[in-house]
Amino acid sequence: RMTHARHAIDVTIVGGGMITSDLILPSIYHLQRLGQIGRIRVAGRTRAPLDALASNPSLRRAFPDASFESCPSPGASPDGYRDVLPSLRPHEAVIVAVPDPLHYRVVMDALACDQHVVAVKPLVRSSAEWQAIDETSRRKGLYVGVEYHKRFDRRALVAKRHYADGRFGAFVMGEARLYEPYAYRRSNFQNWFTCDAADPFTYVGCHYVDLVSFITGLAPVAVSADAVKGRFPNGNEAYLWASGRVRYENGALLTMTAGLGYPDAAAGANDQGMVLYGEGPDGTGMIHHDDHERGVRHSYVDEAGAAYRYVNPDFFQLVPWDGPGLRPVGYGYESIAAHLDAIARIESATAGLDDAAALVGRQREIAAIDAAGLLPTVGNDLTNALVAEAARVSIANGGAVVRLYGGDQPRVERM
């Protein structure tokens, strides 16, 4: 359970799309009925998605007494979040759930209004954007978390523990895949997921790039990626498939393939998993995660989606409990809760202090969270920013190898 701060944390969600409906809002609703979240606002560029979110049958069934404040209200500007941020009390929470190219702007706007932030992955697409967010958040003592929820999957945590104990040897070779459904092409993705803005490697492949570093502690040093173009139903050109190779500081290699094309009629909502091999003194170790098949299969009598499908009980499900409606379970919910718990702990540890002492206290708490490395934060997300930037450069140059440099002057360079 979350540690209570001086008051329940108010949450403003920027973006009313799929991830808000499927994961973020139900998680926040449940934390609110546990007394750990105060006011909930959802801001969007237009009113229609917010109205659809408010009337969502699944959410209304699971949370019959819950609601949120829509921003913009009728007559407000399209960028509703910019209208509401200045009115928030300092050090509340803003969750950024907008298309990738908008992350940097929304995060920086939230920091300018003295708000803690949780952003969906990837946080940014360049080391320059990362530096600006990192410097601002450190200077102002504001938490910036990144929603890499796979870190909270129990199988990942088990692997991390055993890797640290040396039981797999040293990671040397691996492959991962994440194919999202074809239906993404008919969604709002076709309005923003264009070649100049995104690609599958950086959009979803980043999950496994982050996870490999999380488990092994190894940093990427070079990336080579390429992509296959196609067109959305509205005619916009996009990278719909991508494949990349990441080299790590110990010489290990990870091949990552991703796309927006898993058949809608196929079992399961997507196809994903990874295999990592490690070298030991007298043999090899292996981590094999089939994240597509988790041992649960259902066949339904209704016609919503595939009739026969794999069911993931581990990521996010709404299930019966001893309270009203349904409650969320799974590592997706636990990830959201953990980020907000971190914000609550930061505020609790500095409650009642004067401004100068509170700033020092928040900076100290955030540094400890960064160093622990369990929660993905801007403070430990530099390599992911570099990988994203390098992948974009590589794709634009036909798969060229791009080197990553950290340190005081993080940057990427073609080799």
Side-chain angles (χ1 to χ4, degrees):
R1 294 215 171 186
M2 288 174 59
T3 305
H4 288 278
R6 69 201 189 287
H7 57 258
I9 297 291
D10 291 347
V11 173
T12 299
I13 303 169
V14 181
M18 177 179 63
I19 192 65
T20 296
S21 174
D22 293 351
L23 172 63
I24 297 171
L25 185 58
S27 298
I28 298 303
Y29 272 163
H30 187 64
L31 293 171
Q32 184 187 53
R33 66 185 175 190
L34 294 179
Q36 299 159 359
I37 295 297
R39 296 174 67 181
I40 302 173
R41 301 174 180 87
V42 182
R45 294 185 63 86
T46 60
R47 184 76 187 194
L50 304 186
D51 291 342
L53 192 61
S55 61
N56 183 294
S58 176
L59 291 177
R60 292 186 67 83
R61 178 190 173 199
F63 308 96
D65 301 322
S67 63
F68 61 84
E69 302 170 36
S70 292
C71 308
S73 55
S77 69
D79 282 337
Y81 81 92
R82 283 188 159 176
D83 296 326
V84 73
L85 287 183
S87 69
L88 303 179
R89 292 179 296 190
H91 309 145
E92 303 296 348
V94 172
I95 298 181
V96 178
V98 295
D100 296 1
L102 302 178
H103 288 185
Y104 174 71
R105 170 185 159 191
V106 179
V107 171
M108 290 298 286
D109 285 344
L111 294 176
C113 292
D114 295 316
Q115 299 300 306
H116 299 292
V117 178
V118 179
V120 297
K121 55 72 206 156
L123 175 62
V124 291
R125 300 183 302 158
S126 74
S127 54
E129 291 179 344
W130 176 87
Q131 283 183 285
I133 293 174
D134 183 61
E135 188 279 327
T136 303
S137 63
R138 288 181 187 277
R139 173 170 48 82
K140 303 186 76 168
L142 296 170
Y143 177 87
V144 178
V146 191
E147 228 298 277
Y148 283 112
H149 45 249
K150 285 188 180 294
R151 292 193 184 193
F152 289 84
D153 187 344
R154 284 162 177 76
R155 63 188 69 194
L157 292 167
V158 169
K160 179 177 177 64
R161 173 194 167 192
H162 289 319
Y163 189 92
D165 290 340
R167 301 192 66 190
F168 298 116
F171 170 52
V172 65
M173 185 67 64
E175 57 188 69
R177 69 189 191 282
L178 209 170
Y179 298 103
E180 294 290 15
Y182 187 93
Y184 275 35
R185 301 189 189 188
R186 295 187 291 271
S187 72
N188 187 52
F189 271 67
Q190 62 185 317
N191 296 318
W192 72 268
F193 199 90
T194 48
C195 293
D196 62 321
D199 63 85
F201 181 90
T202 56
Y203 177 68
V204 289
C206 64
H207 267 304
Y208 281 105
V209 175
D210 175 78
L211 192 62
V212 170
S213 290
F214 177 67
I215 291 171
T216 67
L218 296 169
V221 296
V223 172
S224 173
D226 211 344
V228 178
K229 292 180 179 179
R231 291 193 180 275
F232 286 116
N234 66 358
N236 283 338
E237 190 175 52
Y239 294 121
L240 297 177
W241 308 89
S243 178
R245 190 169 71 168
V246 181
R247 184 174 290 278
Y248 291 81
E249 58 188 318
N250 71 335
L253 290 172
L254 173 74
T255 299
M256 178 73 224
T257 57
L260 307 183
Y262 184 69
D264 294 340
N270 56 28
D271 183 21
Q272 57 178 310
M274 72 175 186
V275 181
L276 307 180
Y277 288 93
E279 285 278 2
D282 299 304
T284 54
M286 179 179 70
I287 301 171
H288 187 173
H289 290 179
D290 186 346
D291 293 322
H292 176 63
E293 165 63 279
R294 294 196 173 231
V296 181
R297 306 183 188 193
H298 289 175
S299 185
Y300 301 120
V301 297
D302 62 55
E303 297 182 356
Y308 178 71
R309 66 192 77 175
Y310 299 133
V311 176
N312 184 347
D314 302 322
F315 168 52
F316 187 88
Q317 295 289 339
L318 293 168
V319 301
W321 70 310
D322 59 357
L326 304 170
R327 66 156 293 184
V329 296
Y331 61 83
Y333 164 72
E334 291 170 1
S335 177
I336 297 289
H339 282 297
L340 291 167
D341 180 51
I343 293 170
R345 285 187 283 114
I346 291 165
E347 290 303 309
S348 180
T350 57
L353 300 178
D354 62 46
D355 289 348
L359 172 59
V360 172
R362 292 197 309 273
Q363 291 169 331
R364 181 176 61 248
E365 293 292 324
I366 291 169
I369 293 169
D370 291 345
L374 179 63
L375 279 164
T377 66
V378 64
N380 55 45
D381 195 54
L382 173 58
T383 56
N384 286 328
L386 289 168
V387 168
E389 183 175 12
R392 297 292 296 167
V393 171
S394 182
I395 289 172
N397 290 276
V401 177
V402 181
R403 184 83 181 178
L404 283 57
Y405 296 92
D408 295 333
Q409 295 181 318
R411 65 196 188 281
V412 302
E413 294 179 0
R414 286 182 58 185
M415 294 180 65

